[in-house]
Amino acid sequence: MNLESLNRMFYPKGVAVIGASANPKKMGYHALKSLMNSHFKGCIYLVNPKHAELFGLKAYSSITDVPDPVDLAVVAVPSTQAPSVIAECGKRGIAGAVLITAGFREADIEEGLKLHEQLAAEARRANVRIIGPNTFGFVNLHADLNAGFTPAFSALRKGPISLISQSGGVCHVLMPYAIEQNIGFSKIVGLGNRINVDFQDMLDYLTLDAETKSIALYVEGVDNLEELMAAAKRTAKVKPVIAYKTGRSKAADQASWSHTGSLAGSYQLYKTAFKQAGVLTVDDCIELVSAAKVLALQPPAKGRRVAVISLVAGLGIIAADTCENQGLTLAKFTLKTEKELKRLLPPYTIRTNPVDLGFVANNPDTCGSAIEAAASDENVDVIVLNYIYSWSEGFLELPVKWIVNAFKTHGKPLVMCLRYPKGVWDVEKQKLEDNGVPTLPTPELAAKSLARLCEYGEVLEKLSKC
Amino acid sequence: MNLESLNRMFYPKGVAVIGASANPKKMGYHALKSLMNSHFKGCIYLVNPKHAELFGLKAYSSITDVPDPVDLAVVAVPSTQAPSVIAECGKRGIAGAVLITAGFREADIEEGLKLHEQLAAEARRANVRIIGPNTFGFVNLHADLNAGFTPAFSALRKGPISLISQSGGVCHVLMPYAIEQNIGFSKIVGLGNRINVDFQDMLDYLTLDAETKSIALYVEGVDNLEELMAAAKRTAKVKPVIAYKTGRSKAADQASWSHTGSLAGSYQLYKTAFKQAGVLTVDDCIELVSAAKVLALQPPAKGRRVAVISLVAGLGIIAADTCENQGLTLAKFTLKTEKELKRLLPPYTIRTNPVDLGFVANNPDTCGSAIEAAASDENVDVIVLNYIYSWSEGFLELPVKWIVNAFKTHGKPLVMCLRYPKGVWDVEKQKLEDNGVPTLPTPELAAKSLARLCEYGEVLEKLSKC
């Protein structure tokens, strides 16, 4: 029932914008614009009692007048009107609402607290699920649905990552990065003040969502850590969950309270709880989305012995350093692999781990054979591959076929650092990622994200025993 | 004399490409192409004994035949020919050479070691400075000079950062990032195997270079740490030096030896030496260039009390967390500032540090006044400002004038996280940076780079006493 409501919200047949407006100074304008520009195939209804028409579309005076089908309401009305609007949504049989409006529990004033309680009571009575209040909304790329106030989210590629965030700001910082890096998303949700849709609800829902392969969380603080951890544990058995927890500093903790109405609480407590529940963690928003990408595309690792292979020695050294710093060990190749690398590579290059392909860069088949040799080595569990672009001509080719083949044949996690001036290797990058080989823009990000795959392998093993 | 040679190399009147080639499989082709495409205003000479003409340009059979002016040679010949070519360069009065050729000390073979010694002896005799061997070369954006084998470096913007790297790969990873982020560079140098131009030489030279405001180092390992540290200390008194040291892991250390012919040595030893010399450090290549950018544009900080101001609370919480984690403290505002913030901002937003401007985002003057209030506070030493873009309309304006004015009036370091979909705020970003306010794409990078400014302020104070 719970999950069915969420499913109706994320895949609605019809959406109503309550408080739709033609005034760009109003949230209701941006919500309407986001929805209309998102190529949503379902019905769109406008609700505004002051206008009969907006942008040439009929505007209804109340949500109760809106015809079928309507599963989701995006609400941008003054906070004092929010409880009655939610009550009306319930009468109308709407499954859920995005409540953009702010000024509830997070507002450090008596009135806000009262409104919050009123809203919570109405939502319970009306059986309406609320994402928010005080949220930018959400997007579901797989439904071409932008149920928020930021049109630019619709420019994201469809993909396997879902991001559940206690801060809309974090979503807005990651969005342009993800567009640049062509990272694909499933759902991006700004939870806001979580009146009745919290992290645990989203985790339970996304566990069953076939279009979500990994789940990234941005967490400041929750009311019920135990509930969150129980849900996270259920999810982690099925698909990887990775979290970025802030509110570590005292000042940030207090700010977080004002921001989301929850005290962030002890960072260390959360860290420990996450670990027990099998939730992976990072300490940077770019690392969050990078790890989520790798976790979505790649199988969990079966061990921590890494082979590092690079087109340039320096990047191999950085990756090796980062891997060891993340608790991985540089694999000792078997004699067979050693022999093969000696056969393939000239004596003046690095033929041990980390392997340097620099002097055979002009021969993608030789590079590919070296990659295959390392990937097939029984002492190797995971692989980092570093490629940068240098010449403007086709001299430096990417052995894409070899890389994909090595990944598919041996099934060992393989993460690439792939960096190039815009346009040069876009097709190759897409081919790699379509075949399950994720690329990241720095050797540090590649190595750190690979380390999360090793951790997830260990999480699955541990959780299978509980 | 030493520095004069380097100056002739970096600002040459004429450049010869020895081993120039029309064959895209040869380094001499890419070196020639890089130089010809770099809008270099000086003379370009081609040397190739097998051809009288290449690309319609005269090719000389030997460097000794090349007429004046020629200050720099870019050399891409087989390693066995390198010593005699360097000898000829000396006879011809050429100040220095970029030696792209590899296969010397880094080649783990007897022949390579012998060649290395021979080359070193010839260079000494001939009084020729060599950048390399085994290098991609260098670029000097201020001379429109690309003396390397990668044409794409010429697409970088002219700017105040110089990067001296023991790995060409690191330069190639950072280059596309810097182009995307519009980060300006002065010199980028791949030191290669440092036959007679080492980090200390570059530091001494760049200390006097008016077009370099900050110096970023990528270091794997050097032969003479003491000499490097002495030079770094001289430089750090004049302009900031920031280093990324790798070769931490044993495997990476060994690889580094093969790569550059120097044992990386104890990471901790380097860290301590860097600290004593006043060299700042980072552990990530993106952090290296981010900090270098901030250090180039901003004055050193006079204290560690930070004001965090954000358009969205979540980014303020991340920045506050990162600042505290980096050893900064969240400033306690004076009563005057507290009063002013209460006057400017509504009660339901965060009016303490970190300050949340979210609910006045549509009023850039109110945002600006709040920024001014915090910047003028006597309890505030440094400022982090976080802005993300949300609506597609002009609703969310950037208070650029206020920000620039606050920075110029109070002279306190001010770093911005500014993130937006491509194109939206490019003009504003440029205006901010032209006025000395650096922008970075995440709150973590903004906070970490600001912390380097605090450290540099302390370095200057310490060094002034020695």
Side-chain angles (χ1 to χ4, degrees):
Chain A
M1 158 66 180
N2 220 340
L3 298 184
E4 181 48 35
S5 296
L6 285 173
N7 205 45
R8 277 180 66 201
M9 288 181 79
F10 281 96
Y11 294 89
K13 293 199 184 80
V15 182
V17 179
I18 304 177
S21 171
N23 177 359
K25 294 250 164 198
K26 301 256 183 184
M27 291 291 192
Y29 169 87
H30 299 285
L32 181 59
K33 223 183 134 185
S34 298
L35 183 62
M36 285 170 67
N37 290 350
S38 68
H39 306 290
F40 177 61
K41 310 284 186 308
C43 301
I44 298 177
Y45 305 105
L46 283 55
V47 178
N48 184 325
K50 289 186 197 143
H51 297 272
E53 209 183 270
L54 287 168
F55 301 106
L57 295 173
K58 177 178 170 58
Y60 297 87
S61 65
S62 161
I63 184 66
T64 49
D65 301 337
V66 168
D68 271 334
V70 53
D71 302 295
L72 172 68
V74 179
V75 182
V77 299
S79 57
T80 48
Q81 294 173 25
S84 64
V85 165
I86 293 300
E88 283 177 2
C89 286
K91 276 184 212 144
R92 182 61 195 76
I94 291 175
V98 164
L99 185 52
I100 291 173
T101 311
F104 299 90
R105 181 170 61 153
E106 79 281 10
D108 196 6
I109 45 175
E110 209 184 316
E111 187 200 351
L113 202 63
K114 217 185 287 173
L115 270 175
H116 187 93
E117 280 161 15
Q118 215 181 317
L119 183 65
E122 283 298 352
R124 206 164 31 239
R125 241 193 314 269
N127 199 21
V128 173
R129 309 288 287 175
I130 296 176
I131 289 182
N134 194 8
T135 178
F136 82 94
F138 75 81
V139 284
N140 178 3
L141 281 310
H142 290 284
D144 295 314
L145 172 64
N146 187 336
F149 59 57
T150 303
F153 278 102
S154 301
L156 284 164
R157 206 163 65 83
K158 275 175 214 192
I161 306 168
S162 284
L163 168 63
I164 311 303
S165 178
Q166 208 165 345
S167 155
V170 168
C171 304
H172 283 75
V173 154
L174 289 176
M175 176 255 289
Y177 178 78
I179 292 171
E180 275 165 32
Q181 292 286 322
N182 205 25
I183 299 174
F185 278 91
S186 178
K187 283 91 186 153
I188 299 180
V189 184
L191 285 184
N193 288 349
R194 299 157 293 119
I195 203 137
N196 67 14
V197 177
D198 210 329
F199 283 106
Q200 49 267 34
D201 306 291
M202 285 309 306
L203 283 169
D204 283 337
Y205 174 64
L206 293 175
T207 303
L208 301 174
D209 178 29
E211 287 169 332
T212 294
K213 304 292 182 203
S214 72
I215 302 167
L217 310 177
Y218 170 75
V219 182
E220 291 176 359
V222 295
D223 300 313
N224 195 327
L225 184 56
E226 268 176 57
E227 261 188 47
L228 167 55
M229 289 308 118
K233 201 168 175 180
R234 288 193 293 274
T235 307
K237 285 181 183 175
V238 182
K239 49 187 83 170
V241 182
I242 184 151
Y244 179 17
K245 166 74 176 79
T246 60
R248 210 192 289 210
S249 72
K250 213 184 145 212
D253 200 359
Q254 278 165 352
S256 174
W257 184 81
S258 306
H259 177 209
T260 61
S262 294
L263 204 57
S266 155
Y267 177 75
Q268 206 44 55
L269 179 72
Y270 275 82
K271 275 269 190 186
T272 308
F274 282 141
K275 195 162 184 188
Q276 281 175 358
V279 175
L280 313 171
T281 55
V282 291
D283 284 311
D284 179 279
C285 61
I286 299 296
E287 285 176 28
L288 178 68
V289 72
S290 301
K293 174 178 171 174
V294 167
L295 288 161
L297 288 180
Q298 293 262 308
K302 297 213 172 94
R304 286 181 168 261
R305 298 168 303 171
V306 63
V308 177
I309 309 168
S310 307
L311 203 64
V312 275
L315 301 191
I317 289 165
I318 292 179
D321 257 18
T322 312
C323 281
E324 288 207 359
N325 197 37
Q326 296 278 325
L328 277 63
T329 54
L330 273 279
K332 167 98 186 78
F333 292 139
T334 61
L335 284 178
K336 188 183 153 218
T337 306
E338 275 184 8
K339 226 186 240 174
E340 177 68 353
L341 290 175
K342 278 202 176 144
R343 189 183 70 78
L344 291 164
L345 308 177
Y348 47 87
T349 192
I350 310 172
R351 302 185 290 187
T352 51
N353 192 9
V355 180
D356 176 11
L357 302 178
F359 294 96
V360 293
N362 55 345
N363 191 336
D365 285 336
T366 306
C367 291
S369 300
I371 292 164
E372 170 58 27
S376 64
D377 190 308
E378 65 196 45
N379 290 346
V380 169
D381 301 309
V382 290
I383 302 130
V384 181
L385 210 53
N386 300 291
Y387 261 76
I388 46 104
Y389 185 84
S390 147
W391 297 275
S392 59
E393 308 293 305
F395 182 22
L396 205 63
E397 282 171 45
L398 255 185
V400 173
K401 255 191 286 183
W402 285 94
I403 297 169
V404 168
N405 190 57
F407 169 57
K408 295 210 164 164
T409 306
H410 307 293
K412 297 175 185 175
L414 192 163
V415 178
M416 272 191 91
C417 158
L418 184 65
R419 196 46 144 151
Y420 53 87
K422 207 167 167 40
V424 170
W425 273 338
D426 288 350
V427 173
E428 286 82 356
K429 177 183 151 109
Q430 199 52 53
K431 211 176 288 175
L432 286 162
E433 300 197 337
D434 287 347
N435 281 287
V437 177
T439 71
L440 293 166
T442 70
E444 291 94 338
L445 283 173
K448 284 179 184 173
S449 304
L450 183 70
R452 301 293 85 74
L453 279 177
C454 295
E455 285 170 7
Y456 189 55
E458 290 155 7
V459 160
L460 283 182
E461 211 184 305
K462 200 187 96 186
L463 292 183
S464 73
K465 288 174 194 152
C466 330
Chain B
M1 158 66 180
N2 222 340
L3 299 185
E4 181 48 35
S5 297
L6 285 173
N7 205 45
R8 279 180 64 202
M9 288 180 79
F10 281 96
Y11 293 89
K13 293 199 183 80
V15 182
V17 179
I18 304 178
S21 172
N23 177 358
K25 293 250 165 197
K26 301 258 182 181
M27 293 288 192
Y29 169 87
H30 299 284
L32 182 59
K33 223 184 135 183
S34 298
L35 183 61
M36 285 171 66
N37 290 351
S38 67
H39 305 290
F40 176 60
K41 309 285 185 310
C43 301
I44 298 176
Y45 304 106
L46 283 55
V47 177
N48 184 324
K50 288 184 198 143
H51 297 273
E53 210 183 90
L54 288 168
F55 300 106
L57 294 172
K58 178 179 168 57
Y60 296 88
S61 65
S62 161
I63 183 65
T64 50
D65 301 337
V66 168
D68 272 333
V70 53
D71 302 296
L72 171 68
V74 179
V75 182
V77 299
S79 59
T80 48
Q81 293 173 26
S84 64
V85 164
I86 293 300
E88 282 176 3
C89 286
K91 277 184 212 147
R92 181 62 195 76
I94 291 174
V98 163
L99 185 52
I100 290 172
T101 311
F104 298 91
R105 182 170 59 155
E106 78 281 9
D108 196 7
I109 45 173
E110 210 183 316
E111 187 201 351
L113 201 63
K114 219 185 284 174
L115 269 176
H116 188 92
E117 280 162 16
Q118 216 180 318
L119 182 65
E122 284 298 353
R124 206 162 35 238
R125 243 195 311 271
N127 198 22
V128 173
R129 309 288 285 176
I130 295 175
I131 289 180
N134 195 7
T135 178
F136 83 94
F138 75 81
V139 284
N140 178 3
L141 281 311
H142 291 284
D144 295 313
L145 172 65
N146 187 335
F149 60 57
T150 302
F153 278 103
S154 301
L156 284 164
R157 208 163 65 84
K158 275 175 215 194
I161 305 169
S162 283
L163 168 64
I164 312 302
S165 177
Q166 207 164 346
S167 155
V170 169
C171 304
H172 283 76
V173 154
L174 289 176
M175 176 255 290
Y177 178 78
I179 291 172
E180 273 165 34
Q181 291 286 322
N182 205 24
I183 299 175
F185 278 92
S186 179
K187 283 91 186 151
I188 298 179
V189 184
L191 284 184
N193 289 347
R194 300 157 291 117
I195 202 136
N196 67 15
V197 176
D198 211 329
F199 282 105
Q200 49 266 36
D201 307 291
M202 285 309 306
L203 283 169
D204 282 338
Y205 174 62
L206 292 175
T207 304
L208 301 174
D209 178 30
E211 286 167 335
T212 294
K213 305 292 183 204
S214 73
I215 302 166
L217 309 177
Y218 170 76
V219 181
E220 291 177 359
V222 295
D223 300 313
N224 195 327
L225 185 56
E226 269 176 55
E227 263 187 47
L228 167 54
M229 289 307 118
K233 202 169 175 180
R234 288 192 294 273
T235 307
K237 285 180 182 177
V238 181
K239 50 186 81 171
V241 182
I242 184 152
Y244 179 19
K245 166 72 176 80
T246 60
R248 212 191 286 209
S249 72
K250 214 184 146 211
D253 200 358
Q254 278 165 350
S256 173
W257 184 82
S258 307
H259 177 210
T260 61
S262 294
L263 204 58
S266 155
Y267 177 75
Q268 207 44 54
L269 180 71
Y270 276 82
K271 274 270 189 186
T272 308
F274 281 140
K275 193 160 188 191
Q276 282 176 356
V279 175
L280 314 171
T281 54
V282 291
D283 284 312
D284 178 280
C285 62
I286 298 296
E287 286 178 26
L288 178 69
V289 71
S290 302
K293 174 178 172 174
V294 167
L295 288 161
L297 288 180
Q298 293 263 307
K302 295 209 172 98
R304 284 179 169 265
R305 298 169 304 172
V306 63
V308 177
I309 308 167
S310 305
L311 202 64
V312 274
L315 301 192
I317 289 165
I318 292 178
D321 257 17
T322 313
C323 280
E324 288 207 0
N325 197 37
Q326 295 278 325
L328 277 62
T329 54
L330 272 280
K332 167 100 187 74
F333 292 139
T334 60
L335 283 177
K336 189 182 151 215
T337 305
E338 275 185 6
K339 224 186 243 173
E340 176 69 354
L341 290 175
K342 278 201 174 146
R343 189 182 70 80
L344 290 164
L345 307 177
Y348 47 86
T349 191
I350 310 173
R351 302 187 288 188
T352 51
N353 192 9
V355 179
D356 176 10
L357 302 178
F359 294 97
V360 293
N362 56 346
N363 190 337
D365 285 336
T366 305
C367 291
S369 299
I371 293 165
E372 169 58 26
S376 65
D377 190 306
E378 64 195 46
N379 290 347
V380 170
D381 301 309
V382 291
I383 301 130
V384 181
L385 210 54
N386 300 293
Y387 260 76
I388 45 102
Y389 185 84
S390 146
W391 296 276
S392 60
E393 308 292 303
F395 182 23
L396 204 63
E397 282 171 46
L398 254 185
V400 173
K401 256 192 285 181
W402 284 93
I403 298 168
V404 168
N405 189 58
F407 169 57
K408 295 209 164 163
T409 307
H410 308 292
K412 295 174 187 176
L414 191 163
V415 178
M416 273 191 90
C417 159
L418 184 66
R419 195 45 140 152
Y420 53 88
K422 209 167 165 38
V424 171
W425 274 338
D426 288 349
V427 173
E428 285 82 356
K429 177 182 151 111
Q430 200 53 53
K431 213 177 282 175
L432 286 162
E433 300 198 335
D434 287 347
N435 282 287
V437 176
T439 71
L440 293 166
T442 70
E444 292 94 338
L445 282 174
K448 284 180 184 173
S449 304
L450 184 69
R452 302 292 86 73
L453 278 177
C454 295
E455 286 170 5
Y456 189 54
E458 290 155 5
V459 160
L460 284 181
E461 210 184 307
K462 199 187 96 187
L463 291 184
S464 74
K465 288 175 192 152
C466 328

